[in-house]
Amino acid sequence: MTQHFRDDGAAARGINQKEAQPTSDASRSIHALFIEAPTAIAVFRGPDWVIDFTNRLAQRLFRDRTAVGRRLFQCAPELAGSQVAELLDRAHTSGRPAGACELLILLDRGDGELAEGYFNVTLQPLPAAAGSTESVVLFAVEVTDQVLARRRIEQLAEQLEHERHKLEQVIQQMPHAVYIADAPSGQLVMGNAQGAEQLGRPFIASADFAAYSAAYQGFHADGRPYAPHEWPLARAVASGELVRAEPVEMLRPDGSRAIIEYSAAPIRDASGQIVAGVVVGVDATARIRALRDEQRRSEQLKGLAEASLAVNSAPSLERMLAEISERARSLIGAHQSIISMADDQSWAQATNAISLSDKYAAYRGYEARITGSGIYRLVCEQNRPLRMTQAELEAHPAWRGFSGEAPRHPPMRGWLAAPLVGRDGRNLGLIQLSDKVEGEFTGDDESILVQLAQLASVAIENARLREEALAAEKRFRSMVEATTVVVWRTRPNGHVVDDSPSWREFTGQSYEEWIGYGWLDAVHPDDREHADAAWRGAVESRKRYEVEYRLRRRDGSWAHTVARGVPLLADDGSISEWVGCNVDVSDIRRAEEAFRVQHQLVRTIAENATLGLLMMDAHQRCTFMNPAAEKITGFTFDELKALDRPLHDLIHHTRPDGSAYPMDECPIDRALPRKSQEQGEDVFVHKDGSFYQVAFTASPILDGSVPVGTVVEVRDITAQKRAEEERERLIAALERSNKELDQFAYVASHDLKAPLRGIANLTQWIEEDLAGKLEGESREHMSLLRGRVRRMEALIDGILDYSRAGRVRHALEPVDVGQLLADVIELIAPARGVEPRVEVEPGQPVLRTERIPLQQVFMNLIGNALKHARRADVRVRVGHRDAGLHHEFSVEDNGPGIAPEFHDRVWGLFQTLEARDKVEGTGIGLSVVKKIVESRGGRIWIESAQGQGATFRFTWQKRDPNER
């Protein structure tokens, strides 16, 4: 690769344009990849380091001083003797890659001065054909900015620690309380001694503002405790708020309160991110309390003036009374304020306005009206104010307490009341205060309350008229707002002129954008022409306008809206203006679409279900029927609808014996009134009059708690019932057959054994009669005869066992297989001259199963292994492994083995691999074993080869299939 391209596309020096072109699309792609790579790449041919290739980034790195065919150190002499030269030599000499991270290189960047640069450098040798290194590829990534930035960060960290230490010293020397919290956690990390002195407690480091709020209890001027997010420091940390001299009443450990003015500010990093917050506290207790007293007197006077305006501008009578009650409580400084207005002493219709401070927050729901008796009537009848301490109140003869309301009425502490008097001197009610915040009620308080009462009295009658007018307007506005989303008005010609805040809020259009016909710009392009034509047509025809189109929301999404407009006519019949609204129906359209999809899905499922589905209304009329139900009942849905009768009267009206089936006895029809699901089996009547058996589930459909219909699931089980009856018949027949077979086997065994016992006795008598005379061949014949008799008896017993195997069931019991094998080994007597060793692997399981069948299997397999061993050192090993749902057992011996071609034969009846005269046997044992194992859900097989011993394996279920 000896090509070099510059940005202008000219060929490298000494290479013509034709030679410089890549020879294929793939070559061009690879070449372009190297040229535009984000890493500086250059190829140098050693050992003189002639430049063979540089990409654009390498050219920029060397300020275009490199050229193909020239030596590197001629182009960049500052690199001679540098570590770059050393790495080039190393890679070229060793033939292995070389590299360095954050390598310092001094480069001439074009102005003749050497500039420091840091690079991650990799040098990859390129071998020549002979195996030696011909060229070296340089890959360089400049990391100068990263290295310098890291060093700067380390320097700044040291400076920061130094500055932090200085800051701590400054904070401790400040004359006011100072606290610092981290952001965004709100952890309180620093506080000085002045803060501890102000609050009478040592600095408490808090994990967050919730812990801070619990440790430092502060209150607003109205007595509300500061919530964690309300503290000046919390607001500065959370939102960057600058808080200046905010007074906070801080609770000291001794119960006293200090008023601290806190000023808080956020601390930001260079990017503007809040990293901490600082608050400074100045003790302003004396100054603020003096100022508050002065302000209170001034505010009372000012409050009277404001109350006059507020009373006359209140939008309703109730709001006016509430305003007076609230202002009376706040101006005079009481915890309770109540206004009771009763024209002509009609206390039954008294209107109460109650204002309670947080002290009595628990009583804010109290709504009982005063009776107008006792001390209340005294104020209203005399139309004069009354002021008392609590002791004077309780001692007054007109005071009657709260009667039955005492447990619920807010407690009182002192009392101040003033009458509400109309222009004609008629009493309108009274205003009363109780529980002054500080001290007892004064004459000044009484004067202020009287003035408030006078203001209220003057405004009450006017307020009623104004309230009636406002109520009428409010009713109209409420009707409009309750049915619209966006309200608009236009000129008679249809041009928008008046502003519509609701339109601008919904669409985000400015007033300038929507006036005239600009509103069409907010309509979806696909709906715009239709909306415009509908509006112009309505304006021209002077008829009601109604159209649906998509309207762009402020966030750019589209809302389905219904636009409606009507013309308002003047007295002369002309149109004075158009008024209208756009209603957002997006949720309705989405719900309709979702309902359509859901309905289609449900219908598809129902129509393709094999289960019959029917729906009935509250009058038992069928309202839905799927194809499966039509097939089961014989009726079509249209036929049932046309008949218009209760479903019971059509498919469930008669019992199989011909008697009538009353509807009130039908479990399906009981589901609706009982509001419960009913399940069961019953007999329905087909359209053709035939009866068929069904399994049904009837579920009520409830609208809230009101039953409105029933869903009935029906499955035709006629064939199933017939199959069950046939199965029961076959089972009964099989049981009879098994009993007859057992009886026959027993009788046959008894009858067959009787002559055998006679033959055995006869041979014994002959031997006794000819004792001493039987010799040689005669004695051998007699012995052979007795052997044949014993074999015949064993054969009869084997046939009897085989006939019973798998049919006779025994009780389930816990069976320790290890102990069972020990018993089996003890019962088996080895052949003469054989010293067997039967090994049982440890860890045999404990099963809940039938003991006798499992014992028979092990006795047969172990007995066969010993009987057919043909060697004195016979070894038998019984193993076990967990096989999931089964246990797998194995009986392995070191006998002669069984050739593969006989593996299937050994399981047949009367099959032996050796003559019965050589090895005594009936050929039934393994057949019985196989039948027992398979009847218990297992399987048995052989693994053996001639002369290599045999392994019989069988599986036994962990859980007996007959156990419930």
Side-chain angles (χ1 to χ4, degrees):
M1 181 170 57
T2 58
Q3 298 177 9
H4 167 66
F5 287 82
R6 296 181 60 85
D7 291 344
D8 57 6
R13 301 177 185 89
I15 302 178
N16 61 43
Q17 184 70 19
K18 183 176 181 181
E19 293 172 337
Q21 296 299 321
T23 58
S24 67
D25 290 343
S27 298
R28 284 192 294 272
S29 297
I30 295 172
H31 183 268
L33 177 64
F34 276 85
I35 288 295
E36 301 299 337
T39 301
I41 304 174
V43 180
F44 307 111
R45 181 163 25 90
D48 296 327
W49 310 124
V50 177
I51 300 171
D52 282 348
F53 173 83
T54 57
N55 68 353
R56 286 195 174 92
L57 193 56
Q59 278 293 299
R60 288 196 293 271
L61 186 63
F62 292 105
R63 293 296 186 269
D64 296 322
R65 292 179 292 146
T66 58
V68 172
R70 296 187 62 195
R71 296 180 180 179
L72 172 62
F73 299 137
Q74 289 176 343
C75 299
E78 66 272 18
L79 294 180
S82 68
Q83 195 171 350
V84 174
E86 179 185 338
L87 291 172
L88 281 167
D89 291 335
R90 187 192 309 168
H92 185 267
T93 303
S94 64
R96 294 193 299 272
C101 292
E102 298 183 1
L103 178 65
L104 173 61
I105 301 176
L106 299 177
L107 282 174
D108 182 353
R109 297 298 180 111
D111 54 1
E113 297 292 332
L114 296 181
E116 288 187 355
Y118 293 88
F119 298 83
N120 290 340
V121 177
T122 301
L123 294 151
Q124 177 67 44
L126 296 177
S132 61
T133 301
E134 177 183 8
S135 301
V136 175
V137 181
L138 168 71
F139 299 90
V141 179
E142 185 169 7
V143 294
T144 303
D145 292 340
Q146 294 91 316
V147 172
L148 295 179
R150 187 180 70 249
R151 290 180 180 176
R152 179 58 179 162
I153 290 171
E154 292 169 354
Q155 292 173 358
L156 291 175
E158 293 178 2
Q159 293 176 9
L160 179 61
E161 183 61 28
H162 178 67
E163 293 298 327
R164 182 181 181 87
H165 180 70
K166 287 171 58 178
L167 177 62
E168 289 180 356
Q169 297 301 315
V170 170
I171 288 174
Q172 293 299 332
Q173 299 303 319
M174 289 188 68
H176 304 299
V178 179
Y179 300 95
I180 295 179
D182 279 343
S185 67
Q187 181 180 5
L188 199 62
V189 297
M190 188 182 301
N192 63 359
Q194 288 72 14
E197 183 179 351
Q198 279 182 0
L199 303 180
R201 68 178 71 200
F203 169 70
I204 303 173
S206 306
D208 52 31
F209 286 113
Y212 175 88
S213 188
Y216 296 95
Q217 298 183 49
F219 301 88
H220 294 272
D222 60 2
R224 291 183 298 108
Y226 266 80
H229 68 278
E230 292 180 322
W231 288 94
L233 183 56
R235 284 145 48 199
V237 168
S239 64
E241 179 182 351
L242 290 173
V243 183
R244 298 188 185 278
E246 180 174 315
V248 181
E249 291 192 11
M250 300 297 297
L251 183 65
R252 291 191 175 114
D254 61 3
S256 63
R257 295 196 178 193
I259 302 177
I260 311 298
E261 288 185 339
Y262 287 115
S263 298
I267 301 173
R268 302 178 185 270
D269 60 15
S271 65
Q273 184 73 24
I274 297 174
V275 295
V278 61
V279 65
V280 177
V282 178
D283 191 342
T285 305
R287 177 174 58 82
I288 290 181
R289 283 182 178 168
L291 182 61
R292 284 180 180 176
D293 289 340
E294 182 179 347
Q295 287 177 340
R296 181 171 174 271
R297 287 189 291 271
S298 176
E299 286 174 356
Q300 284 182 334
L301 296 176
K302 180 182 177 182
L304 285 172
E306 292 177 347
S308 177
L309 295 174
V311 165
N312 289 286
S313 61
S316 67
L317 180 60
E318 289 185 0
R319 183 64 196 138
M320 185 196 70
L321 294 176
E323 185 73 30
I324 295 172
S325 179
E326 182 68 24
R327 286 182 178 271
R329 187 181 66 79
S330 62
L331 284 175
I332 297 174
H335 286 292
Q336 299 180 34
S337 174
I338 301 176
I339 293 181
S340 300
M341 192 183 72
D343 285 345
D344 299 325
Q345 302 300 297
S346 178
W347 295 99
Q349 287 79 39
T351 301
N352 286 355
I354 303 175
S355 174
L356 300 175
S357 70
D358 288 343
K359 178 179 179 180
Y360 294 101
Y363 295 94
R364 284 176 178 158
Y366 181 73
E367 296 180 349
R369 302 179 185 276
I370 63 175
T371 62
S373 61
I375 202 164
Y376 306 111
R377 181 175 293 276
L378 183 64
V379 172
C380 295
E381 287 180 349
Q382 296 180 357
N383 270 346
R384 63 180 180 85
L386 199 58
R387 172 168 49 91
M388 302 179 187
T389 65
Q390 183 64 20
E392 292 171 340
L393 177 66
E394 294 177 353
H396 197 284
W399 173 247
R400 298 181 182 179
F402 304 115
S403 301
E405 294 294 322
R408 299 191 299 125
H409 196 286
M412 296 177 69
R413 190 175 69 81
W415 193 60
L416 175 62
L420 302 175
V421 183
R423 294 184 181 90
D424 57 0
R426 181 169 50 92
N427 181 265
L428 304 177
L430 80 160
I431 178 171
Q432 54 180 315
L433 304 178
S434 180
D435 195 355
K436 190 173 181 183
V437 174
E438 295 182 1
E440 299 289 348
F441 291 111
T442 67
D444 291 339
D445 296 334
E446 183 178 326
S447 298
I448 292 173
L449 186 62
V450 168
Q451 292 180 63
L452 280 171
Q454 291 172 349
L455 290 172
S457 301
V458 170
I460 282 175
E461 293 166 328
N462 295 337
R464 286 177 172 170
L465 294 175
R466 185 170 65 250
E467 186 179 59
E468 290 178 4
L470 291 173
E473 181 181 352
K474 185 177 180 180
R475 282 194 297 272
F476 174 75
R477 189 177 298 276
S478 297
M479 285 190 298
V480 173
E481 291 179 352
T483 58
T484 63
V485 173
V486 177
V487 181
W488 42 264
R489 297 192 309 168
T490 77
R491 292 284 179 86
N493 60 2
H495 283 252
V496 173
V497 175
D498 294 333
D499 187 19
S500 172
S502 58
W503 180 278
R504 290 190 286 104
E505 176 64 25
F506 190 87
T507 65
Q509 282 188 313
S510 65
Y511 172 73
E512 291 75 15
E513 290 173 331
W514 100 290
I515 60 172
Y517 276 82
W519 59 272
L520 283 168
D521 293 337
V523 177
H524 194 282
D526 294 344
D527 303 338
R528 195 169 294 160
E529 182 179 352
H530 173 60
D532 182 31
W535 174 238
R536 293 181 186 275
V539 171
E540 183 178 349
S541 64
R542 297 162 52 95
K543 294 182 179 179
R544 179 186 177 89
Y545 165 67
E546 181 168 344
V547 66
E548 181 171 342
Y549 54 76
R550 286 165 289 179
L551 191 62
R552 185 181 61 244
R553 293 191 181 94
R554 174 182 289 272
D555 62 5
S557 61
W558 295 99
H560 285 269
T561 67
V562 174
R564 296 185 178 93
V566 293
L568 298 183
L569 302 180
D571 294 339
D572 60 359
S574 62
I575 296 177
S576 61
E577 64 176 352
W578 286 80
V579 295
C581 63
N582 281 61
V583 180
D584 187 348
V585 295
S586 300
D587 292 340
I588 297 174
R589 296 297 177 261
R590 282 193 293 270
E592 289 173 348
E593 177 62 18
F595 176 78
R596 186 192 65 77
V597 173
Q598 185 70 19
H599 179 72
Q600 184 62 37
L601 177 62
V602 172
R603 176 169 290 277
T604 300
I605 293 173
E607 290 179 351
N608 290 277
T610 58
L611 192 71
L613 295 175
L614 303 102
M615 290 180 64
M616 300 186 299
D617 60 19
H619 303 290
Q620 315 298 336
R621 264 61 172 179
C622 183
T623 58
F624 174 78
M625 186 181 200
N626 72 344
E630 291 181 341
K631 182 178 180 182
I632 292 172
T633 64
F635 289 96
T636 66
F637 178 59
D638 291 338
E639 289 173 338
L640 293 180
K641 285 188 66 177
L643 291 170
D644 191 26
R645 294 171 58 191
L647 192 60
H648 177 87
D649 294 348
L650 299 172
I651 65 172
H652 204 197
H653 50 80
T654 306
R655 291 190 172 95
D657 61 4
S659 61
Y661 199 149
M663 185 184 297
D664 57 2
E665 296 180 11
C666 174
I668 295 175
D669 292 289
R670 285 199 300 262
L672 188 66
R674 291 184 177 181
K675 301 180 185 179
S676 63
Q677 189 179 79
E678 300 287 338
Q679 293 180 326
E681 295 180 358
D682 212 329
V683 177
F684 279 10
V685 183
H686 196 270
K687 179 182 177 182
D688 61 10
S690 62
F691 293 97
Y692 58 97
Q693 291 178 293
V694 297
F696 68 85
T697 299
S699 305
I701 304 172
L702 303 178
D703 183 1
S705 60
V706 179
V708 295
T710 310
V711 176
V712 184
E713 303 171 16
V714 179
R715 179 166 55 88
D716 189 342
I717 58 172
T718 304
Q720 175 187 328
K721 288 296 183 181
R722 290 172 181 167
E724 290 176 355
E725 292 173 358
E726 179 65 13
R727 183 189 65 187
E728 294 299 323
R729 187 187 66 77
L730 292 175
I731 290 174
L734 181 61
E735 288 178 350
R736 290 195 302 271
S737 175
N738 287 338
K739 288 180 181 178
E740 293 171 357
L741 180 61
D742 285 345
Q743 185 176 7
F744 170 78
Y746 176 78
V747 171
S749 172
H750 180 272
D751 292 347
L752 288 173
K753 283 184 179 180
L756 291 177
R757 285 194 293 271
I759 295 172
N761 291 335
L762 181 60
T763 58
Q764 184 177 354
W765 296 339
I766 292 174
E767 283 187 326
E768 290 174 354
D769 291 344
L770 300 177
K773 297 181 182 181
L774 290 175
E775 297 180 354
E777 188 175 347
S778 297
R779 184 176 294 280
E780 183 179 347
H781 288 165
M782 292 300 291
S783 177
L784 185 62
L785 179 60
R786 285 196 299 274
R788 293 291 189 273
V789 169
R790 286 194 298 273
R791 185 185 303 164
M792 192 66 184
E793 287 182 339
L795 182 62
I796 292 169
D797 288 339
I799 293 172
L800 186 60
D801 288 342
Y802 183 78
S803 70
R804 291 174 175 173
R807 293 189 299 104
V808 179
R809 293 289 175 176
H810 303 271
L812 301 179
E813 58 181 302
V815 177
D816 184 336
V817 177
Q819 184 59 47
L820 177 72
L821 288 168
D823 296 342
V824 168
I825 294 168
E826 186 176 347
L827 289 173
I828 295 175
R832 184 176 301 171
V834 174
E835 296 181 2
R837 187 174 75 186
V838 180
E839 299 177 3
V840 178
E841 288 183 357
Q844 296 292 329
V846 176
L847 309 178
R848 179 171 175 76
T849 188
E850 300 171 86
R851 175 184 293 275
I852 293 176
L854 185 60
Q855 187 177 35
Q856 282 182 281
V857 171
F858 278 120
M859 286 191 69
N860 267 286
L861 295 179
I862 297 174
N864 280 353
L866 297 175
K867 182 166 58 177
H868 296 283
R870 298 186 192 173
R871 54 194 298 172
D873 61 340
V874 59
R875 297 290 181 267
V876 178
R877 181 178 180 82
V878 182
H880 161 266
R881 78 176 186 89
D882 191 315
L885 297 177
H886 295 76
H887 292 285
E888 181 182 306
F889 298 97
S890 61
V891 178
E892 179 183 358
D893 64 54
N894 62 347
I898 301 173
E901 58 266 28
F902 299 117
H903 285 187
D904 291 332
R905 176 181 170 185
V906 298
W907 306 110
L909 279 170
F910 313 119
Q911 298 296 321
T912 61
L913 300 183
E914 295 183 275
R916 290 181 174 84
D917 291 335
K918 292 182 64 178
V919 177
E920 188 66 32
T922 63
I924 296 177
L926 287 179
S927 299
V928 173
V929 167
K930 181 177 177 67
K931 193 172 183 181
I932 290 173
V933 171
E934 291 180 348
S935 68
R936 267 68 182 180
R939 67 186 188 93
I940 187 166
W941 67 98
I942 306 172
E943 296 175 358
S944 178
Q946 188 70 37
Q948 297 180 15
T951 300
F952 284 79
R953 298 186 185 276
F954 70 93
T955 59
W956 198 268
Q957 286 189 338
K958 290 183 178 180
R959 178 181 174 86
D960 192 285
N962 296 310
E963 185 177 11
R964 296 290 184 265

